[in-house]
Amino acid sequence: MKTPRFFLGVILLFWGWQVGLLWLGLGLAVVLESARWAKTRFELQASDFNKFVDISTVLLAFTILAALTTDAKKANLILLRWLPLIFFPIIGVQEFSAKGRMDVKSFFFATRKKTEMRFYETKEIDVSYIYAFVCLMSSAYANAKGSFYYFCVVLFFVWGLWQFRSRRGPLAAWITCILIVALTGYHGQNLARQAGRTLSRWIMSHYAYTMDPFKTYTALGEIGDLKFSDRIVLRASFEDYAPGKTYLLHSATYNRFASSNWFAKYGFERVEGKKDGGFWQVNPPRENPLKMTQYFRLQKGRAVLSLPPGVIDISEMKAGDCEKNAVQVVRIEDGPSLIKAVVSYTGASTYDALPGTDDYSVPVKEKPVFEAAAKNLGLEDKSEEEILKTVHGFFLTQFAYSLELKGKGKAGTPLENFLFHTKAGHCEFFATATVLLLRQAGIPARYATGFIAHEYSRLEGGLIVRLRDAHAWAKVFVNGQWRNFDTTPPSFLNIDEEQIPTSFLEDLFSFFGFKLSRLRHETGAKLVETYGLWLMLPLGLMLLLRLRRSGQIKRIKDRDRPGRKKKGRARATGFYRIEEILSEKGGPRRPHETYASWLKRISRQWDNPALMEQLFQALDQHNQWRFGRPEQREDLKRKLEENLMALSEKLLARP
Amino acid sequence: MEKTDLLFAHELFMRLSANIETVIKGQKENIRYILAGFAGGGHILLEDNPGTGKTTLAKALAKSMDARFKRIQFTPDLLPSDILGVSIFDPAKKEFKLHKGPVFTHILLADEINRASPRTQSALLEAMAEGQVSIDGNLLNLEDLFFVIATQNPIESRGTYPLPEAQMDRFAMQLELGYVTRETEALILSEQSLAHPIHSVLPCVSLEEGLKLRRLVGEVFVSKELKEYIVALVTATREKPGVLLGASPRASIALMKTAQALALFDKTDFVGPDHIQEIAVRVMAHRLILDPRLKFSGVSARTLVEEILTSIPVPV
């Protein structure tokens, strides 16, 4: 099952051209195709094939590691690009071996060691077609838009399959078949791609964590348990941090509530900033701002920032674009995968837009519930401050925090159920109920989401914010100022921690990943590449040791480079020197021959019994030195050396 | 090892060898191997065509030693109890009395061993491997010097059963005598014209001397490299394609011990690579089971082991 002439060469050229390694492709192609003209073939054992497969394995491992350290996101692409080079040792050894085929056993460590392999089970395959396929696959790295690549692939398939076409039917039938397959393939892959895209979008919409500043889906009225992961989404360090202090980081604010979900209708405007300096003036400057630094990752190239109240400006943020809306939601687009932002903020006074009619409205559906609740609390004839105090006390004393979703229950709406029956829920319930209750009492309020930063990591020396720290709270407008108003019982942090387990190992990995990305972004990629090379060192050492232990490296020395070893030994004793001399005189020893049988064999041609007897005597001494009891070795060595010096001179003198 | 011990062992070997050679002509090499097998503590299987002198050789060895010698003629109707012994009720004493079988001896000649059924042959397994037999649930030890020399015709002969693999593995080596040269055969004719020389063989080695020889064999030094070489040879038979059953670790032990004995016969106190190569085929080949397809393609176990010998580099 040899490939047609020039097939592999042309495919390699195609690969080189597509992925931009034309010269490399040309070189590999020349090497492979030269196997057809070269007469030299190597007689290789199974173990030799194993070695070449090992080389490919090592190359593969190195490439994976190198790809992961240089650009983890594109690791698979980098790997794809270099596949033909990685597997070149395998195809190369096959093409230049006398057998011309590879034993399947070589590819698996498990089968290499299997002792009871029956001889008819040895399955030898020609890897050239497989290699050709790998090359074509790798050419896809170029990701050429349009159908040129597909057309080329079809052509290569036709070329490769030409010699296997059925000679029974007419040629036209074969061509038709190929055409049908090619067309089905083309449309099939289009369909598959669309299906994949739809599926991934569907999955992402369920699982991905992205924040939409225009609407947020709450879990109000659902059944089950809220499940958040303990993934770290943000790392923050505050100037004024003191142990035990918590911070609300605001991401988005919403003001319209309808059928259990919150919406916002504020348009975005661009924030002025110096792109290259990474400085963004979000609001007019003020004196004595507080400062905090945070690190986070972009999701699909964009992010809504989680910020402390009253942001003035953001510096050192390498984003492509930055926008904000009237309720101080800041979002950015484009940038490195890890973003650093140094935020200066007031901490108290905010820049949120003044209340509008939306901030007073309670949905018709919920109206009766909140009217009743407000009446119960007697909010109607209280001052603003009193109302806030009452509401805060109401939720704090009468309600419990729970991650359990109890559904709607028997009551009309989930909120009614929460307020009058279960009296337990998660932050979304507390925030929504607070907002609507305050609005009912005539205080403008909005629904804010974001994170609560409370967990100090000793490992990282800063606050870490996990996905499970996502939080929702109310914003109220009192005394001409918007301020945060969180009514969720403070015990919720403990409950979250108990119910959503954290894994130390995961945190550790996350930490190292973070450090690595930080290093890359702050110092440039080159440093990381060198670090990557250092990382490779232990792996290489390990592989080397493994090969050495299994004796594969040693065997190369023994079999293929006997000269060097003998020389090394010749200095140690003398009989190896004799062997060298005699070999040069035309009687090399075969590896399996003992000295005795070798001498017997070559002595037939020589007619010098006296010399032979001397040689055999020396051999006896040599054997005793070599295989005898170790105690006597030193003594013997000296004697042997003396004997052999004379003998080797005598041998050298002979023609 | 003392020089005197070396000389003693060598002299003992020469004595035995000469004594056997008075009966068996032209088998100097095989006598050396048989004695090596004996000294290494193994059992010997002689396989060849009828009339090549297997039984005579075995008898000559047995007679050369001043030790108890028993012979079992294996026939198709032989039973395990015919080998091991049987308990018989004694009406006078009203109790069972064990009549020990021929296995309770020093040298046991199992003649035509493959003419008995595998069932009978299996009676020998425990005795050959462990030097003990179990009869009626009682464990009985055999003599310190227990040596089985068996003869058989090739399994292609009529009226023979193939020996079980387990039994084959218990023989340290299998020897083939082969036909002697014309001159030697003529000499045999003239010697036997009056009487068979086997009748005039006298013991030349005492039981103690035999035991001492075996003890000395164990003292022969085997270097680590050569042990590794032995293991490489034996394991190669397991990895060779087409071999259904390779040589066992017992083969490694047998190969080492017989090589030690050969070294002793050569008056050296260490094993050399030549000793191992000399005996390798005879120790390993009979243990291998080849795939029938390989057999039909003309490969025999002997050629396979020879091939392995040429494929593994020897330490020099």
Side-chain angles (χ1 to χ4, degrees):
Chain A
M1 223 182 84
K2 278 274 161 224
T3 45
R5 202 165 278 191
F6 299 122
F7 182 67
L8 279 180
V10 174
I11 281 193
L12 273 170
L13 277 178
F14 175 70
W15 164 74
W17 171 45
Q18 286 287 304
V19 305
L21 297 165
L22 189 56
W23 289 108
L24 184 65
L26 185 69
L28 298 185
V30 168
V31 171
L32 274 197
E33 289 302 323
S34 70
R36 291 193 192 274
W37 315 111
K39 292 276 184 283
T40 327
R41 286 289 184 275
F42 297 94
E43 196 75 54
L44 296 173
Q45 302 285 323
S47 58
D48 301 314
F49 282 109
N50 293 351
K51 265 170 235 154
F52 281 91
V53 175
D54 286 345
I55 292 173
S56 279
T57 315
V58 172
L59 278 178
L60 184 67
F62 274 8
T63 317
I64 290 175
L65 209 63
L68 280 177
T69 46
T70 46
D71 194 349
K73 266 188 160 177
K74 288 184 179 162
N76 49 356
L77 274 182
I78 296 173
L79 188 65
L80 186 66
R81 182 182 186 194
W82 293 99
L83 275 182
L85 188 67
I86 292 168
F87 294 123
F88 189 75
I90 297 176
I91 183 82
V93 73
Q94 179 192 286
E95 294 297 296
F96 279 97
S97 70
K99 236 197 263 176
R101 301 163 83 76
M102 292 286 290
D103 192 340
V104 183
K105 275 193 270 176
S106 296
F107 293 102
F108 308 101
F109 284 121
T111 49
R112 280 185 197 175
K113 283 186 181 156
K114 205 159 190 172
T115 48
E116 278 196 31
M117 209 63 171
R118 312 281 194 263
F119 79 108
Y120 45 80
E121 275 178 13
T122 31
K123 199 160 189 183
E124 286 180 345
I125 51 161
D126 187 332
V127 294
S128 48
Y129 270 104
I130 302 173
Y131 185 71
F133 184 74
V134 168
C135 290
L136 281 182
M137 212 164 70
S138 170
S139 312
Y141 162 81
N143 201 10
K145 301 273 189 267
S147 40
F148 172 73
Y149 171 75
Y150 187 75
F151 179 69
C152 288
V153 167
V154 170
L155 271 191
F156 279 122
F157 269 90
V158 170
W159 187 3
L161 292 174
W162 178 252
Q163 55 176 326
F164 303 114
R165 69 186 189 280
S166 167
R167 306 288 207 282
R168 278 186 300 171
L171 186 60
W174 187 76
I175 292 171
T176 320
C177 283
I178 291 278
L179 274 178
I180 289 172
V181 170
L183 287 174
T184 348
Y186 186 73
H187 290 291
Q189 61 98 11
N190 264 346
L191 263 176
R193 196 171 54 180
Q194 272 170 22
R197 213 178 267 175
T198 319
L199 189 71
S200 75
R201 208 175 293 156
W202 181 69
I203 290 172
M204 289 315 279
S205 68
H206 275 76
Y207 290 103
Y209 147 73
T210 43
M211 208 166 260
D212 184 344
F214 297 110
K215 64 180 177 189
T216 181
Y217 298 106
T218 65
L220 304 188
E222 286 174 18
I223 299 176
D225 277 320
L226 268 181
K227 286 197 179 73
F228 287 116
S229 86
D230 63 334
R231 187 156 61 85
I232 296 170
V233 290
L234 193 119
R235 294 172 164 81
S237 51
F238 291 85
E239 235 179 22
D240 60 336
Y241 178 75
K245 199 165 173 181
T246 60
Y247 297 87
L248 283 176
L249 296 176
H250 162 251
S251 300
T253 297
Y254 308 89
N255 60 351
R256 290 190 199 168
F257 183 71
S259 54
S260 294
N261 294 319
W262 282 97
F263 301 91
K265 281 265 153 50
Y266 302 102
F268 277 87
E269 59 183 56
R270 289 199 53 187
V271 174
E272 289 305 313
K274 287 173 246 161
K275 242 184 234 179
D276 39 342
F279 180 81
W280 307 88
Q281 191 75 51
V282 183
N283 283 308
R286 275 226 205 153
E287 275 178 17
N288 302 329
L290 294 165
K291 284 222 177 208
M292 64 89 68
T293 311
Q294 57 169 290
Y295 292 92
F296 58 93
R297 287 175 190 282
L298 288 188
Q299 301 287 334
K300 292 183 187 166
R302 54 198 305 171
V304 173
L305 301 192
S306 302
L307 299 166
V311 176
I312 300 166
D313 59 54
I314 303 172
S315 51
E316 294 183 43
M317 184 169 73
K318 289 174 187 150
D321 205 1
C322 180
E323 291 178 318
K324 68 158 186 171
N325 69 5
V327 286
Q328 300 301 313
V329 177
V330 180
R331 67 177 183 188
I332 55 169
E333 268 182 30
D334 294 334
S337 60
L338 184 81
I339 297 267
K340 179 187 185 183
V342 179
V343 184
S344 34
Y345 61 103
T346 60
S349 55
T350 59
Y351 298 90
D352 291 27
L354 292 175
T357 47
D358 274 343
D359 301 324
Y360 291 98
S361 79
V362 178
V364 183
K365 213 174 155 192
E366 309 284 358
K367 196 99 184 164
V369 178
F370 286 94
E371 269 173 0
K375 209 170 176 187
N376 283 352
L377 291 173
L379 297 181
E380 274 149 42
D381 22 273
K382 281 182 177 157
S383 70
E384 281 185 345
E385 284 299 332
E386 275 173 351
I387 291 174
L388 289 185
K389 214 185 257 175
T390 319
V391 169
H392 198 247
F394 170 61
F395 282 114
L396 217 58
T397 51
Q398 299 191 19
F399 285 75
Y401 181 78
S402 154
L403 280 175
E404 200 182 336
L405 298 174
K406 286 182 178 147
K408 284 183 186 169
K410 285 169 199 144
T413 67
L415 283 173
E416 187 182 346
N417 195 30
F418 168 70
L419 281 175
F420 297 114
H421 301 285
T422 60
K423 302 218 169 196
H426 59 277
C427 56
E428 283 173 346
F429 274 108
F430 284 97
T432 308
T434 308
V435 169
L436 296 183
L437 197 58
L438 290 175
R439 284 182 182 180
Q440 181 62 40
I443 302 176
R446 288 171 183 161
Y447 176 86
T449 61
F451 291 95
I452 180 158
H454 64 96
E455 188 180 344
Y456 183 80
S457 163
R458 245 182 265 164
L459 177 71
E460 310 200 4
L463 286 170
I464 52 173
V465 178
R466 299 173 191 277
L467 195 52
R468 66 154 190 234
D469 294 330
H471 191 42
W473 63 92
K475 270 183 170 183
V476 293
F477 189 76
V478 280
N479 302 331
Q481 187 64 250
W482 282 100
R483 61 179 238 213
N484 290 334
F485 184 61
D486 190 1
T487 49
T488 311
S491 65
F492 84 93
L493 291 174
N494 304 335
I495 294 178
D496 279 357
E497 232 164 90
E498 271 167 30
Q499 300 204 349
I500 307 162
T502 53
S503 136
F504 174 70
L505 213 61
E506 238 169 72
D507 281 3
L508 203 67
F509 274 125
S510 168
F511 178 55
F512 283 124
F514 163 66
K515 280 280 177 203
L516 209 68
S517 315
R518 220 182 115 178
L519 209 66
R520 184 152 72 218
H521 287 119
E522 288 177 2
T523 57
K526 267 194 182 155
L527 197 65
V528 181
E529 268 159 41
T530 37
Y531 275 116
L533 282 176
W534 281 111
L535 276 175
M536 239 178 257
L537 206 69
L539 188 74
L541 262 172
M542 247 163 64
L543 277 159
L544 202 74
L545 281 178
R546 202 200 74 78
L547 287 175
R548 183 171 270 281
R549 201 175 305 147
S550 64
Q552 295 198 351
I553 289 182
K554 215 170 78 195
R555 247 181 280 152
I556 296 178
K557 263 193 194 162
D558 279 350
R559 212 175 291 162
D560 302 348
R561 283 182 278 159
R564 185 177 293 181
K565 195 162 188 180
K566 263 179 260 157
K567 257 178 212 160
R569 279 195 203 159
R571 263 173 256 125
T573 75
F575 211 85
Y576 299 103
R577 174 87 186 123
I578 305 261
E579 183 190 352
E580 228 170 39
I581 296 168
L582 287 179
S583 296
E584 277 161 18
K585 301 236 175 220
R589 186 182 67 87
R590 295 177 195 133
H592 68 270
E593 272 181 319
T594 61
Y595 277 146
S597 46
W598 170 62
L599 283 178
K600 263 177 215 152
R601 181 165 62 84
I602 58 172
S603 68
R604 273 181 230 135
Q605 314 158 10
W606 297 3
D607 195 24
N608 193 341
L611 185 68
M612 272 301 143
E613 199 173 312
Q614 262 186 315
L615 275 174
F616 274 108
Q617 266 175 10
L619 178 60
D620 279 346
Q621 283 177 332
H622 164 79
N623 275 345
Q624 194 165 2
W625 166 76
R626 183 91 171 82
F627 301 110
R629 288 172 194 280
E631 306 90 74
Q632 312 159 0
R633 293 188 63 171
E634 279 308 309
D635 223 26
L636 279 164
K637 193 172 149 188
R638 232 175 295 125
K639 240 194 268 174
L640 189 62
E641 286 287 355
E642 285 165 18
N643 264 359
L644 287 168
M645 279 304 255
L647 196 58
S648 56
E649 268 164 31
K650 211 185 269 182
L651 281 171
L652 277 171
R654 278 172 59 90
Chain B
M1 194 185 292
E2 298 292 320
K3 193 87 184 163
T4 50
D5 286 338
L6 271 182
L7 287 175
F8 160 79
H10 180 68
E11 192 270 332
L12 193 73
F13 161 67
M14 296 303 277
R15 212 189 315 157
L16 266 172
S17 178
N19 205 35
I20 296 170
E21 265 180 278
T22 57
V23 187
I24 297 288
K25 303 290 177 202
Q27 296 286 6
K28 212 173 164 69
E29 243 190 358
N30 280 321
I31 292 169
R32 178 174 147 92
Y33 298 143
I34 286 190
L35 290 178
F38 164 75
H43 310 288
I44 307 279
L45 178 63
L46 297 171
E47 180 187 288
D48 217 321
N49 294 324
T52 43
K54 299 179 297 292
T55 310
T56 316
L57 177 56
K59 274 168 80 179
L61 172 67
K63 281 191 148 192
S64 301
M65 242 172 284
D66 190 12
R68 245 182 301 140
F69 165 61
K70 292 250 173 75
R71 169 181 178 149
I72 311 171
Q73 190 65 35
F74 278 63
T75 55
D77 60 348
L78 196 74
L79 294 174
S81 56
D82 294 334
I83 297 173
L84 302 178
V86 66
S87 296
I88 293 172
F89 189 69
D90 184 352
K93 291 185 180 169
K94 293 199 171 173
E95 61 180 22
F96 279 97
K97 192 166 186 303
L98 176 68
H99 286 256
K100 287 183 175 176
V103 78
F104 292 92
T105 182
H106 292 120
I107 297 175
L108 179 69
L109 169 58
D111 207 24
E112 307 274 354
I113 190 168
N114 61 343
R115 289 192 189 275
S117 63
R119 170 188 168 210
T120 310
Q121 280 160 5
S122 53
L124 273 176
L125 293 180
E126 187 188 357
M128 287 171 73
E130 295 164 55
Q132 65 180 41
V133 289
S134 309
I135 305 172
D136 292 341
N138 296 320
L139 209 63
L140 297 167
N141 282 326
L142 299 179
E143 299 291 343
D144 279 346
L145 191 148
F146 176 66
F147 175 60
V148 177
I149 180 160
T151 72
Q152 70 166 0
N153 292 128
I155 52 153
E156 289 82 11
S157 318
R158 277 169 217 168
T160 60
Y161 297 95
L163 287 188
E165 294 87 346
Q167 174 97 332
M168 278 305 231
D169 198 39
R170 277 161 174 77
F171 286 106
M173 60 173 110
Q174 175 181 314
L175 300 173
E176 276 149 44
L177 297 185
Y179 294 111
V180 290
T181 57
R182 282 166 178 241
E183 293 80 36
T184 320
E185 199 162 336
L187 190 69
I188 293 172
L189 289 187
S190 55
E191 284 211 343
Q192 297 212 357
S193 52
L194 280 175
H196 199 293
I198 189 79
H199 300 307
S200 54
V201 172
L202 292 172
C204 66
V205 172
S206 70
L207 190 61
E208 286 71 36
E209 281 175 321
L211 283 168
K212 187 178 178 191
L213 182 66
R214 281 194 168 185
R215 193 169 44 77
L216 287 176
V217 164
E219 289 175 18
V220 173
F221 179 76
V222 189
S223 72
K224 187 167 164 276
E225 245 177 319
L226 287 180
K227 279 179 193 156
E228 277 165 8
Y229 179 57
I230 289 173
V231 173
L233 288 177
V234 172
T235 47
T237 64
R238 299 173 207 157
E239 283 154 12
K240 198 89 178 156
V243 178
L244 299 184
L245 180 71
S248 57
R250 189 183 279 149
S252 308
I253 298 168
L255 186 51
M256 184 183 77
K257 288 206 161 168
T258 41
Q260 279 175 312
L262 285 180
L264 203 58
F265 294 167
D266 286 349
K267 266 201 282 186
T268 58
D269 62 347
F270 62 90
V271 172
D274 296 286
H275 297 129
I276 295 166
Q277 288 198 349
E278 188 181 354
I279 204 81
V281 174
R282 291 169 178 90
V283 172
M284 287 195 286
H286 66 283
R287 299 167 204 259
L288 307 188
I289 308 252
L290 300 192
D291 192 283
R293 295 198 221 174
L294 200 65
K295 265 193 209 161
F296 293 142
S297 64
V299 178
S300 71
R302 287 183 73 107
T303 52
L304 198 100
V305 176
E306 275 161 12
E307 201 187 310
I308 287 170
L309 273 175
T310 57
S311 68
I312 294 176
V314 63
V316 288

